[in-house]
């Protein structure tokens, strides 16, 4: 088993993914998803705000004729006559971009604090641990309550709240990985060779914990998506007309009782497929690397 | 033992103070107190919080702490009803997965728990409404009890109240059917999280040599899990249990809003929408404190389990 571990260490990221077919397809699914959103925004004239006064609440219908091309509202319109496909594409862009920003900010800040405290100071760690354990007692959604009551609901504030409340988790994880890796012999050997702390970190420590960081990042990304959509559903992230996947579900909640399930199902499937793909990807990387204790 | 207790209580105190500073920032920002003597204001604020005086709700003009108790009972009842089965189910499924590592049972359990943990709870809750409450009108999907029955409160827990008043009558059954959908949608996420925690912690223990030795003695796998596996995995499981509580407390807010459950979740969302800062402040203080206490007592339990489960009769050894 240790031999397998060593070979996978030497391989590139793509080969690691290729060894797990589910992760491989998940990656291609994410690429296709990105191309669909980006391509629709670039090449199709979509307007998520425009209300069709004649076409309220049309069910989805895909028809194609050579004279007219694809039918106009392939995913139908909602109860205000807005194009569901346009709202879906723009909502997906908003949701996933802001969630990505929250994940990136929290992992950068958390990583910085975690590495610094692990590499340089043990006393700093105690202070950080107390800070972390008190900030950790707010889940992203609950911290967002405070920030949004003060600053007002918007996607940016929701993303900030999620980023802030994910920082402690990432800090602790980075710290734990670094301290456990620092005890190993190869680090000691590098230090005995006379490498400074920074050189040791850059040349030997970081390449060895990079995979773990990637896995943790994907995990935080999927958590950020779920929290952001939950805030959108509670009406605390996107402003009134702005398309967002969670608030799309909340807007059309009443339509459930008329028996038109598609209007709830479409944004839900958009969220779930994306999050499942990310989770399978991170799980596949983890299995390929034989990193079980994460 | 005493040392751990002292260390944990120091940690508790410090975290509580930092938490109060955070909520004080919220208090200052939401009430426009920026130009006053902040230290004095903090002392006044601290004094009020220690007396559990959170002012009055702007919507109902009743004391906030009384309202919190009333709504908190409904939420606690829902959380308990969802967490007990999901903790038990997650625990056993996680044990199964760790026992059958890398076989189809393990991959079935792990992959389906990944799938279920990717489903947003607000979405699955509405799908349940659509399928079970609208499509086939089997289960009610709104509130805690039908309006036909009296809602006089005795303990605040509706199942206990109806039992006390009518015994196993119609009102009890009615309240019970109102529980089905919220509990179903609330218990998915904690179950998947518990499966993940138990499987990973137990699996890393099951790789040890003493487990192989135990297998070679011909013991049954469940006995080995009980005798060696769980005792050694327990500290790590307990230390991670906080995330299960976190997930439950986040999703209960959403579940309550979908099913109109009159609990803390609907209360706080209504307060945020109408700018009722006293309610939001009380919520932040009380829920934050609850989490600080829960987290630290879980850590304490994890430390205790290192001492007492692994070394029976050697209670004085210190954990690393």
């Amino acid at each position: 088993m240790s031999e397998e571990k060593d070979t996978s260490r030497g391989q590139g990221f793509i080969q690691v993914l290729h060894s797990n077919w589910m992760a491989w397809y998940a990656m291609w699914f994410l690429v296709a998803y990105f191309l669909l959103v980006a391509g629709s925004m670039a090449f199709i004239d979509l307007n998520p705000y425009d209300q069709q006064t004649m076409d309220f609440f049309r069910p989805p219908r895909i028809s194609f004729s050579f004279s007219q091309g694809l039918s106009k509202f392939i995913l139908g319109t909602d109860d205000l006559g807005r194009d569901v496909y346009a709202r879906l594409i723009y909502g997906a862009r908003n949701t996933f971009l802001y969630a990505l920003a929250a994940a990136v900010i929290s992992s950068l800040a958390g990583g910085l604090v975690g590495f610094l405290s692990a590499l340089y100071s043990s006393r700093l760690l105690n202070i950080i641990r107390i800070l972390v354990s008190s900030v950790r007692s707010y889940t992203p959604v609950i911290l967002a309550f405070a920030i949004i009551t003060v600053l007002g609901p918007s996607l940016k504030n929701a993303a900030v709240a999620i980023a802030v409340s994910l920082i402690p988790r990432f800090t602790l994880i980075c710290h734990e990985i670094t301290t456990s890796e620092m005890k190993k012999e190869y680090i000691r050997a590098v230090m005995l060779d006379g490498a400074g702390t920074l050189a040791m970190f850059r040349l030997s420590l970081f390449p060895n914990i990079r995979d773990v960081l990637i896995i943790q990042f994907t995990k935080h990304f999927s958590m950020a998506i779920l929290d952001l959509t939950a805030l959108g559903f509670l009406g605390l992230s996107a402003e009134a007309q702005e398309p967002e996947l969670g608030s799309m579900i909340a807007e059309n909640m009443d339509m459930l009782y008329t028996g038109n399930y598609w209007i709830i199902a479409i944004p839900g499937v958009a969220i779930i497929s994306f999050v499942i793909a990310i989770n399978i990807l991170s799980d596949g990387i983890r299995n390929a690397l034989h990193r079980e204790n994460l | 033992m005493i040392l751990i207790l002292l260390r944990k209580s120091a940690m508790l105190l410090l975290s509580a103070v930092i938490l109060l500073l955070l909520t004080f920032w919220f208090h200052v920002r939401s009430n426009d107190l920026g130009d006053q003597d902040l230290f004095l204001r903090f002392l006044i604020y601290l004094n009020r919080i220690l007396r559990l005086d959170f002012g009055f709700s702007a919507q109902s003009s009743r004391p906030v702490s009384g309202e919190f108790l009333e709504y908190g009972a409904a939420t606690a009842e829902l959380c308990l009803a969802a967490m007990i089965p999901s903790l038990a189910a997650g625990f056993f499924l996680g044990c199964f997965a760790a026992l059958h590592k890398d076989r189809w049972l393990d991959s079935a359990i792990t992959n389906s728990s990944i799938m279920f943990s990717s489903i947003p709870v607000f979405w699955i809750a509405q799908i349940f409404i659509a399928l079970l409450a609208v499509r086939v009108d089997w289960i009610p999907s709104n509130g805690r009890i039908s309006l036909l029955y009296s809602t006089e409160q005795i303990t605040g827990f509706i199942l206990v109240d109806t039992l006390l008043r009518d015994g196993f009558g119609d009102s009890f059954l009615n309240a019970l059917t109102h529980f089905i959908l919220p509990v179903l949608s609330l218990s998915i996420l904690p179950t998947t999280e518990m499966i993940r925690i138990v499987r990973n912690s137990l699996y890393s223990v099951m790789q040890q040599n003493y487990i192989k030795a135990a297998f070679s003695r011909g013991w049954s796998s469940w006995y080995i899990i009980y005798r060696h596996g769980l005792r050694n995995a327990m500290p790590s499981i307990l230390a991670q249990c906080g995330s299960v509580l976190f997930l439950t407390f986040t999703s209960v807010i959403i579940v309550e809003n979908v099913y109109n459950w009159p609990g803390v979740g609907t209360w706080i969302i209504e307060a945020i929408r109408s700018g009722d800062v006293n309610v939001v402040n009380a919520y932040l203080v009380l829920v934050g404190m609850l989490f600080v206490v829960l987290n630290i007592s879980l850590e304490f339990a994890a430390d205790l389990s290192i001492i007492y489960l692994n070394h029976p009769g050697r209670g004085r050894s210190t954990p690393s």
Side-chain angles (χ1 to χ4, degrees), chain A residues 3-292:
Chain A
E3 265 180 33
E4 274 178 310
K5 197 173 185 173
D6 288 335
T7 51
S8 71
R9 281 283 173 77
Q11 284 172 349
F13 192 63
I14 299 296
Q15 276 90 348
V16 167
L17 276 185
H18 205 83
S19 64
N20 184 315
W21 64 269
M22 270 173 75
W24 184 246
Y25 285 116
M27 191 195 73
W28 280 112
F29 177 80
L30 288 179
V31 171
Y33 204 116
F34 174 75
L35 287 180
L36 180 71
V37 172
S40 304
M41 285 176 58
F43 297 117
I44 309 178
D45 182 26
L46 293 171
N47 190 341
Y49 302 106
D50 195 20
Q51 298 183 4
Q52 306 290 324
T53 41
M54 302 303 288
D55 285 315
F56 293 119
F57 210 56
R58 253 204 203 178
R61 201 188 62 210
I62 301 176
S63 63
F64 182 79
S65 66
F66 283 105
S67 55
Q68 293 179 335
L70 210 56
S71 55
K72 201 175 172 196
F73 303 115
I74 50 174
L75 292 181
T77 57
D78 64 5
D79 54 339
L80 293 176
R82 296 174 298 195
D83 186 3
V84 172
Y85 183 70
R87 288 187 77 73
L88 193 73
I89 292 293
Y90 278 80
R93 182 199 66 170
N94 279 344
T95 306
F96 298 141
L97 265 189
Y98 276 99
L100 186 67
V104 167
I105 291 171
S106 67
S107 49
L108 283 182
L112 192 70
V113 180
F115 289 137
L116 283 182
S117 68
L119 290 174
Y120 288 107
S121 156
S122 60
R123 189 159 298 164
L124 188 63
L125 169 70
N126 283 331
I127 302 170
I128 285 172
R129 190 170 271 169
I130 290 165
L131 262 177
V132 159
S133 75
S134 53
V135 176
R136 203 177 53 170
S137 51
Y138 284 138
T139 64
V141 174
I142 295 176
L143 191 71
F145 288 169
I147 290 180
I148 282 159
T149 317
V150 172
L151 301 176
S154 80
L155 261 170
K156 202 183 86 197
N157 293 343
V160 166
I162 289 168
V164 169
S165 53
L166 288 181
I167 287 175
R169 291 179 56 106
F170 215 86
T171 308
L172 273 190
I173 287 164
C174 287
H175 184 90
E176 274 167 20
I177 302 168
T178 316
T179 40
S180 72
E181 206 77 3
M182 291 270 276
K183 285 177 192 146
K184 291 186 180 167
E185 281 178 352
Y186 72 95
I187 296 288
R188 205 169 291 162
V190 173
M191 296 295 264
L192 283 175
D193 278 347
T197 314
L198 262 185
M200 181 273 288
F201 176 74
R202 194 166 55 85
L203 295 174
S204 11
L205 185 62
F206 190 74
N208 278 298
I209 59 175
R210 194 190 53 199
D211 313 323
V212 187
L213 294 182
I214 290 172
I215 297 167
Q216 286 298 334
F217 175 76
T218 51
K219 204 175 254 180
H220 279 74
F221 184 30
S222 73
M223 276 165 61
I225 292 172
L226 288 181
D227 286 329
L228 196 66
T229 48
L231 283 174
F233 175 76
L234 294 172
L236 301 178
S237 81
E239 281 141 297
Q241 288 267 317
E242 209 174 352
E244 200 268 342
L245 292 181
S247 56
M248 268 178 84
I249 295 181
E251 280 164 14
N252 298 309
M253 223 167 117
D254 303 337
M255 295 301 135
L256 211 59
Y257 295 97
T258 61
N260 292 293
Y261 308 131
W262 53 269
I263 198 147
I264 302 288
I266 288 169
V269 169
I271 301 170
I272 292 171
S273 56
F274 195 86
V275 177
I276 284 184
I278 286 183
N279 282 343
I280 286 178
L281 192 64
S282 93
D283 202 61
I285 300 171
R286 198 189 69 186
N287 283 341
L289 295 172
H290 296 283
R291 293 256 191 178
E292 284 301 334

Side-chain angles (χ1 to χ4, degrees), chain B residues 166-229:
Chain B
D166 303 335
F168 284 98
D170 283 348
S171 61
F172 177 74
L173 286 179
N174 189 279
L176 206 59
T177 51
H178 278 82
F179 262 91
I180 296 173
L181 283 184
V183 165
L184 202 60
S185 32
L186 186 55
S187 54
I188 290 176
L189 275 183
T191 311
T192 59
E193 182 74 4
M194 195 68 192
I195 289 175
R196 193 183 63 80
I197 291 171
V198 172
R199 175 187 175 272
N200 288 350
S201 318
L202 200 56
Y203 178 66
S204 59
V205 170
M206 295 301 268
Q207 296 238 297
Q208 305 290 326
N209 281 332
Y210 54 81
I211 299 284
K212 285 175 197 153
F215 269 112
S216 68
R217 291 171 78 171
W219 290 351
S220 78
S221 44
W222 282 103
Y223 183 69
I224 293 172
I225 280 209
Y226 162 72
R227 175 83 186 261
H228 289 298

